Amino acid sequence: MENYFLTIDNGGTNTKVIIFDQSGNQIAVEAFPTKGLEPKSGFHEIDLIKLWQDLATAIRAVLVKGKLKGDQIKGIATVGHGKGLYTLDKEQHIFMNGILSADSRAEKYAAEFEGRVEEIFPLSHQHVMTSQAPVILRWLKDYRSELYNQIGSILSNKDFIGYLLTGEVKQEIGDASGNNLVNLDSEKYDRRLLEFFGITEMMTKLPPLIKATDQRGKVSIEAAEATGLVEGTPVFGGMFDIDACAIATGVLDQSKFSLIAGTWNMNIFPSMTMAPMESGLMNSIFPTGKRLVEASSPTSAGNLAIVLKMLMTAEMRDAKEAGHSIYDDLEAFLSNTDARFSKVLFYPFLYGSNAAPNAEGSFIGIRSNTTKSEMIRAVYEGIAFAHRYHVAQLLTVLGDQPDVIRMSGGATNSKAWIQMFADVLNRPIEIVDASELGGLGGAITSAVGLGIYPSIEVAAEQMVRVKERFEPRAEEVAVYDQKYQGYVTMLQAMDASWRSLKTIQEGIEG
């Protein structure tokens, strides 16, 4: 009898419920927008009661789509965005909104803590990011103490969803380690980390740690009634979404890189060693026991969507009226132009930078005869350059080129863009058969947790299949190398000027 696994993949932009079988075949998917709230500028929250209602509806819908009954689902895993903050009160009830990873309310705190990160890097092997839970908690302590004092449990996104399904409060260690909460040598919470952030009272609010393939609990009767799942179905620890994408693309050691071009620019590889502090890279615990080395920033495909709304409103409307997507038109455009087409450089910093803290989105090289088409192609190229910037950081740690890059994220919907990435990075790029990689990573977790496969490595070998390979083209590589050097040169030249721009902007606002 075939075994089916259900994964809930809760991203910052979209949430999906996906069913896979034990051979890695995608059976059905149901998706809905992650309905974020922005009560103030820089605040990105989510109504957790509404999230559970939407999840329950989506789970019922995906069972119908897959023509399956609840008792045919043998295992469930949760996958979610990293960082951010999800809490329960002392009675394990929802009492405040969840805080998404895009939240920037604690930006000044993060800068202050990062300024003395050498105090904790030997413990967590993490730099400090604005949306890490300890940073947000310190902000809450100072500005929303009435909420801070009610906190009974601190969770990551996917562990909160695990709680909704099971009623059990547990934290998967990979996510916790990426949130500056875990000592990477002892693989335990470390009070010294909470002391550093000034939140030692939260030590007792940290749930027991589990591994990705550990069973966190079973579907509760309340969750079963809401979702159509069967009470008692095992629910496994699951993982941070970048771990899930790496595993679902077969990136299990440093011979391959995982590149995720979605809302965020994620570039990672599993390793037996960790990146040093001076590299600027992050380290976390990978589900196989290795350490995940990460270079990331919000400088990827999300920038394209924003620029299209700015520059191509009419074209988007016309495409819709003609019964197709603007992305269909752009695919033809990319396929019929090359690296020499645009003389413009674009810096994809609309949500933040991977270079200077105050850097912002920019076009450089616009002239009186610059066309909109050149600007749009520059956006595609600039996003690829931003990934190359991070890949270069990874290479300083690895010391050698990977054999291949496995790519995932929204950018993989465009074959022309994947080819551009291969040319910009001058490495072969492969994409895998499954379209919902977070879902496949979760399914692999369930398959191993149930004992169907003895390890993540064996499960990935059986469930992951490469669909297509893109080789770099020498002529395009040469042009992109020249453009990238210009990209970096201008970036360095502007490094000291971004703060001045920020000061001007603050003066205008104030």
Side-chain angles (χ1 to χ4, degrees), residues 18 24 96 150 203 239 284 400 409 427 456 469:
I18 316 103
M96 62 177 278
Q150 290 185 63
M203 189 70 187
M239 58 190 98
S284 60
D400 195 12
R427 300 305 300 164
I456 287 174
R469 182 179 173 102

Side-chain angles (χ1 to χ4, degrees), residues 26-136:
Q26 187 172 303
I27 306 302
V29 58
E30 180 71 14
F32 60 88
T34 305
K35 298 180 179 68
L37 307 171
E38 193 172 356
K40 294 182 181 178
S41 177
F43 287 47
H44 294 274
E45 302 180 356
I46 184 167
D47 182 330
L48 298 180
I49 301 293
K50 183 67 167 63
L51 174 63
W52 177 227
Q53 293 169 345
D54 290 341
L55 280 172
T57 300
I59 292 169
R60 287 187 174 277
V62 81
L63 290 170
V64 171
K65 279 188 176 180
K67 300 179 181 178
L68 297 170
K69 297 186 181 300
D71 61 1
Q72 292 176 274
I73 302 298
K74 301 304 180 186
I76 299 166
T78 56
V79 169
H81 71 77
K83 306 176 179 60
L85 179 69
Y86 294 74
T87 60
L88 301 170
D89 68 14
K90 295 175 177 65
E91 285 72 47
Q92 296 187 359
H93 296 142
I94 296 168
F95 73 101
M96 62 177 278
N97 288 339
I99 298 177
L100 296 165
S101 60
D103 193 271
S104 61
R105 72 186 69 188
E107 190 172 41
K108 291 182 179 178
Y109 282 78
E112 188 273 322
F113 288 130
E114 177 61 20
R116 51 192 183 92
V117 72
E118 70 278 358
E119 297 174 28
I120 59 163
F121 197 89
L123 303 174
S124 67
H125 297 273
Q126 287 263 308
H127 287 273
V128 180
M129 298 182 72
T130 302
S131 59
Q132 285 174 332
V135 183
I136 298 171

Side-chain angles (χ1 to χ4, degrees), residues 391-498:
V391 169
Q393 292 175 306
L394 294 180
L395 292 176
T396 63
V397 176
L398 179 60
D400 195 12
Q401 290 277 358
D403 297 334
V404 68
I405 293 172
R406 296 273 174 87
M407 187 171 169
S408 57
T412 59
N413 292 317
S414 166
K415 288 188 178 183
W417 205 0
I418 301 171
Q419 182 62 60
M420 181 187 292
F421 270 89
D423 296 333
V424 167
L425 297 169
N426 194 20
R427 300 305 300 164
I429 289 182
E430 293 176 343
I431 57 172
V432 299
D433 193 41
S435 62
E436 299 299 338
L437 296 176
L440 179 55
I444 288 171
T445 299
S446 291
V448 176
L450 288 165
I452 294 169
Y453 298 113
S455 67
I456 287 174
E457 290 86 349
V458 173
E461 188 176 321
Q462 296 298 315
M463 298 174 71
V464 176
R465 289 177 291 278
V466 173
K467 178 172 70 174
E468 199 164 358
R469 182 179 173 102
F470 297 78
E471 297 285 351
R473 301 168 297 183
E475 289 185 7
E476 295 288 286
V477 168
V479 177
Y480 282 131
D481 279 348
Q482 185 179 359
K483 279 190 171 184
Y484 179 72
Q485 294 311 313
Y487 175 94
V488 173
T489 298
M490 293 300 299
L491 193 58
Q492 293 170 342
M494 296 173 68
D495 188 56
S497 302
W498 293 112

